[in-house]
Amino acid sequence: MSDSSPIRIGPGQPTRAAPRTLAGESSSLAGIRHGRGATLSPPDRFARHQSSPVDDGWDSLAEDESAPRTELTFEPARTIITRNESPDLGFDRSINAYRGCEHGCIYCFARPTHAWIGLSPGLDFETRLTCKPDAARLLERELRHPAYRVRPIALGTNTDPYQPVERRMGLTRAILTVLDRFSHPVTIVTKSAGILRDLDVLKALAARNLVRVSLSVTTLDPDLARRMEPRASTPARRLEAISALAAAGIPASVLAAPMIPALNDHELEAILAAAAGAGACDAGYALLRLPLEVAPLFEDWLARHYPDRAHHVLQRIRAVRGGKLNDSAFGRRGRGHGVHADLLAQRFTRARRALGLTRGRPLDCTRFAPPPPPPEAQLSLF
């Protein structure tokens, strides 16, 4: 799917809205919208009231076959760097300039965060986005604080920093430009070849060992990718992006995630091999997570797109999650447990070593140096 999808941009925050509800579904294909991942829109769990559709006899529940447009609103923010102390994460700070993601990945663990702003983790998550237009200015202010201590900042930890709307807004590029000026290290996770638009800034950062990029490659099957990640770059384009980054001297690794039992986990070695052939220097993987509303969304998607194997896939997921569809315990969220999870970990370790995907190195945190503030900022002190 190209980045040319229609979009409405306007100020203000999204309002708590009644969820979109599907009706008249008589086959496994009902509810599937071209270019969108979610087939359901469950209500947000914080709403005081819930609504149920009632047919008034005038076809009021008829399905709207038109593709829903993407809407973007501006979200005011006082700070931009988010801190965390999770033992499962390899970073302690991150930036997410966008809330919601137009890629529409059905498995996205960030979907439940949309409930915090009164929207559905389903279709709303991929069609009703918010952004923080002052992200770069806020970042510069926080980096100049006397108490700030440098550690790598992670981009792409919640929603993709290079989702289609980035082409119009350029918030990720603005953030990278600030980090480049401050010689601040940054890590990026994306599944979009759109990252190549910022090749110039990334090359400048890489020349000082200040950037590491991870391309998420979930499958090499274009049909599965189109169904599962409808607006993300194709698998081939992601591998091309790894190749282009490597050729430019930018450390690029592959993230085989999420691995879904009985759906794409058999591709693990092939994904790593393809990435190694494209020039990747390191690799990682993660097991599927289905927190909160993501579980019923994934179940419904699976039943509609792959009804012949839906039951088997869900049973295999439960086998690595202690009999449940999700396990949020630290240490097990990204890896699972049990025989199948252990086997996946062993397969990954063996393939990673055999392919030489162990050449990642720590970023340089010693170069951090805030540049002199612009003249207008100095005058504002008087």
Side-chain angles (χ1 to χ4, degrees):
M1 181 65 64
S2 69
D3 289 354
S4 60
S5 54
I7 188 167
R8 300 191 186 100
I9 298 178
Q13 295 207 54
T15 57
R16 187 173 293 275
R20 295 181 176 91
T21 307
L22 306 180
E25 298 167 0
S26 57
S27 72
S28 63
L29 297 181
I32 297 176
R33 293 175 171 85
H34 178 68
R36 300 298 181 183
T39 52
L40 294 176
S41 277
D44 77 84
R45 59 192 178 281
F46 302 108
R48 295 180 61 185
H49 304 285
Q50 306 290 350
S51 62
S52 297
V54 176
D55 195 333
D56 60 6
W58 293 92
D59 294 325
S60 59
L61 296 185
E63 179 72 26
D64 181 5
E65 297 297 336
S66 61
R69 294 167 61 92
T70 299
E71 300 176 8
L72 179 69
T73 56
F74 298 156
E75 178 181 343
R78 289 178 292 181
T79 61
I80 196 64
I81 299 177
T82 300
R83 310 279 179 158
N84 83 84
E85 298 179 352
S86 171
D88 285 341
L89 302 178
F91 56 88
D92 69 348
R93 66 201 68 183
S94 61
I95 295 176
N96 288 284
Y98 301 102
R99 191 192 299 267
C101 187
E102 198 175 359
H103 282 161
C105 304
I106 190 58
Y107 53 73
C108 183
F109 62 81
R111 283 181 177 273
T113 62
H114 240 45
W116 286 101
I117 56 174
L119 296 175
S120 171
L123 199 57
D124 285 346
F125 178 80
E126 51 195 277
T127 61
R128 303 179 70 177
L129 317 178
T130 73
C131 71
K132 301 169 184 175
D134 291 335
R137 180 184 63 81
L138 293 171
L139 174 60
E140 179 156 351
R141 185 182 69 185
E142 292 178 47
L143 295 184
R144 291 190 184 280
H145 194 282
Y148 183 78
R149 297 294 178 266
V150 63
R151 296 262 325 254
I153 288 177
L155 304 183
T157 60
N158 203 45
T159 55
D160 201 308
Y162 287 100
Q163 60 178 288
V165 71
E166 167 64 12
R167 180 186 291 274
R168 299 168 176 83
M169 300 302 297
L171 299 182
T172 299
R173 182 177 179 85
I175 289 169
L176 290 176
T177 300
V178 171
L179 295 174
D180 179 39
R181 289 174 46 232
F182 280 70
S183 293
H184 194 294
V186 59
T187 64
I188 303 171
V189 177
T190 181
K191 54 172 58 71
S192 174
I195 191 173
L196 298 181
R197 293 194 298 269
D198 292 340
L199 205 60
D200 56 335
V201 183
L202 296 173
K203 287 175 66 175
L205 288 163
R208 290 163 285 166
N209 188 28
L210 294 174
V211 65
R212 183 173 62 248
V213 177
S214 293
L215 265 293
S216 173
V217 181
T218 312
T219 177
L220 299 178
D221 180 351
D223 180 65
L224 175 58
R226 186 177 65 253
R227 295 167 184 256
M228 192 163 57
E229 310 159 330
R231 292 187 179 230
S233 297
T234 65
R237 289 285 290 131
R238 295 180 222 180
L239 292 172
E240 290 171 4
I242 290 177
S243 180
L245 290 166
I250 301 162
S253 61
V254 61
L255 183 59
M259 288 288 96
I260 305 172
L263 188 63
N264 71 339
D265 62 338
H266 64 282
E267 294 188 70
L268 177 61
E269 289 85 355
I271 291 171
L272 298 187
C281 64
D282 208 339
Y285 86 100
L287 197 63
L288 174 72
R289 290 175 53 197
L290 296 174
L292 300 170
E293 293 93 344
V294 184
L297 284 167
F298 182 80
E299 285 184 274
D300 190 78
W301 174 88
L302 193 61
R304 295 176 191 275
H305 287 276
Y306 298 101
D308 58 327
R309 70 181 88 169
H311 178 73
H312 181 55
V313 172
L314 294 174
Q315 288 297 96
R316 289 289 299 276
I317 292 173
R318 291 187 176 95
V320 298
R321 295 297 187 190
K324 302 179 292 184
L325 287 180
N326 191 58
D327 181 358
S328 59
F330 288 138
R332 297 202 301 257
R333 293 189 300 173
R335 293 292 184 264
H337 64 286
V339 174
H340 295 297
D342 292 344
L343 179 59
L344 187 66
Q346 293 169 19
R347 289 169 53 199
F348 170 78
T349 299
R350 181 174 181 176
R352 182 183 180 220
R353 288 175 179 171
L355 293 166
L357 293 171
T358 56
R359 294 175 285 117
R361 59 173 178 162
L363 298 179
D364 190 350
C365 293
T366 67
R367 295 178 178 269
F368 179 67
E376 58 270 20
Q378 296 178 358
L379 290 175
S380 66
L381 298 177
F382 297 94

